[in-house]
Amino acid sequence: MCQSLIYNNLSIRYYFPVMTTIKSLSIVVPVYNEEDNLPILFAEIERAMSRTDKDWHVIFVDDGSKDRSLEVMRQLAEKHDTVRYVVFAQNCGQSAAFKAGFDAATGDVVVTMDADLQNDPADIPAMLQEYERGFDMVIGWRAKRQDSIVKKIVSKIGNGIRNRLSNETVKDTGCSLKVMRTSMAQLLPMFTGMHRFLPTLMKMQGAKVAEVRVNHRPRQHGVSKYGVWDRTKATFFDLLAIRWMQKRTFRYTIREQK
Ligand code: UDP
Ligand code: MG
């Protein structure tokens, strides 16, 4: 049976999961006009991480914010060694922000989450535990999503179409709260919109992926950066690119090499 090259190299781990111990993590947070959310988010992350024995730091990626987000980041970084930041010259989108965060990450694991407090940092310790059971990626599933009814319906239909066309079973790929092996995240082909397909891209590299239920909260400060229909249209075209990548992924097995 032919499998992709990387998958093949990982295949023993795939079938016989090896428990891993996470030493350090980089928490990557894309930020676009989230000034009121950042101090609260950082305090919540600190509280959640105090329940673990891991080394950690946050990497805020300022995606060209026009409010005081950068000023708030600088203040937090001055007070706390655990705060780092990357600042874009202009708004480049959430995928670019994730990519810059992956590249800046020095932890053996990357945790991604939104800056707007919709994801709950209190979920991180349980996700790390799941990862340590032998996964390369753990993704959140917002079982009780706190968004408008239109957004929830469109997202449900979108997830169904995405799963069907990309041969997936991911319950909620749009949930930003994810834990990923840094060395794999740094190798992902990232383009605008690709952050919505991270589980599929990771699986194409041979990653073993687990899903866990996570909390989801309504946005309290600031506004959503996406219109429902714009996102749906863009995602559909990105899905075609993902299908193309899936079909064209190398699938050879090396039988002998000298
Ligand atoms: N975001 C970003 N760049 C953008 C749009 C959004 O960095 O161009 C960030 C935003 O600040 C937030 C996350 O991506 O931390 C998710 O955005 P949002 O909460 O608006 O999305 P929604 O929850 O409405 O899907
Ligand atoms: Mg949000």
Side-chain angles (χ1 to χ4, degrees):
M1 189 176 70
C2 287
Q3 290 166 342
S4 77
L5 179 65
I6 304 170
Y7 185 97
N8 202 38
N9 291 343
L10 289 171
S11 58
I12 294 175
R13 272 199 52 242
Y14 197 88
Y15 294 110
F16 303 99
V18 179
M19 308 259 288
T20 41
T21 305
I22 300 169
K23 291 190 199 78
S24 59
L25 47 133
S26 303
I27 304 172
V28 172
V29 185
V31 177
Y32 185 49
N33 299 338
E34 306 285 2
E35 57 184 7
D36 294 328
N37 290 314
L38 296 181
I40 308 169
L41 176 67
F42 181 71
E44 288 188 351
I45 291 175
E46 259 193 325
R47 204 172 317 131
M49 294 318 297
S50 69
R51 287 167 33 212
T52 76
D53 56 355
K54 313 295 179 201
D55 256 8
W56 62 275
H57 56 265
V58 180
I59 305 174
F60 290 118
V61 184
D62 179 30
D63 185 14
S65 293
K66 294 175 181 68
D67 67 352
R68 289 181 57 259
S69 293
L70 176 55
E71 223 171 300
V72 176
M73 275 177 214
R74 287 193 183 120
Q75 282 165 6
L76 285 170
E78 230 164 71
K79 272 201 228 147
H80 306 275
D81 292 343
T82 45
V83 176
R84 303 180 190 178
Y85 57 83
V86 175
V87 184
F88 283 172
Q90 66 273 316
N91 179 247
C92 290
Q94 207 180 340
S95 285
F98 278 135
K99 166 71 178 151
F102 296 165
D103 289 346
T106 52
D108 41 326
V109 154
V110 168
V111 178
T112 56
M113 65 187 305
D114 286 346
D116 61 352
L117 305 175
Q118 290 207 263
N119 297 135
D120 187 349
D123 286 314
I124 297 174
M127 294 177 83
L128 298 179
Q129 265 179 18
E130 186 69 7
Y131 179 98
E132 288 184 324
R133 289 181 54 228
F135 293 96
D136 305 293
M137 180 179 202
V138 179
I139 58 182
W141 162 41
R142 298 165 292 180
K144 290 194 184 142
R145 200 168 155 177
Q146 302 297 323
D147 280 318
S148 71
I149 186 83
V150 176
K151 212 171 196 174
K152 282 196 278 198
I153 293 171
V154 171
S155 167
K156 208 168 175 72
I157 297 170
N159 266 315
I161 296 173
R162 185 170 14 217
N163 279 339
R164 209 184 158 94
L165 289 185
S166 58
N167 213 2
E168 278 286 4
T169 54
V170 177
K171 289 193 192 77
D172 182 14
T173 176
C175 177
S176 284
L177 188 53
K178 296 184 168 85
V179 176
M180 305 162 71
R181 191 177 298 282
T182 306
S183 56
M184 293 176 100
Q186 287 175 339
L187 288 178
L188 295 178
M190 290 294 283
F191 301 97
T192 301
M194 288 297 107
H195 69 277
R196 301 199 181 91
F197 298 91
L198 288 173
T200 305
L201 294 170
M202 285 287 281
K203 283 182 191 173
M204 281 161 66
Q205 286 199 52
K208 199 171 174 214
V209 179
E211 290 173 276
V212 302
R213 264 177 101 112
V214 294
N215 191 14
H216 192 242
R217 307 176 291 190
R219 197 187 244 278
Q220 304 281 5
H221 310 283
V223 291
S224 169
K225 310 300 179 300
Y226 299 103
V228 174
W229 301 113
D230 297 352
R231 173 153 55 189
T232 306
K233 207 165 74 187
T235 307
F236 179 73
F237 287 110
D238 295 341
L239 179 55
L240 300 181
I242 291 289
R243 256 172 80 89
W244 178 87
M245 278 188 218
Q246 284 179 314
K247 281 194 183 144
R248 296 300 176 105
T249 297
F250 289 126
R251 293 170 204 285
Y252 59 79
T253 310
I254 297 177
R255 204 173 53 195
E256 203 172 317
Q257 189 171 7
K258 188 167 182 283

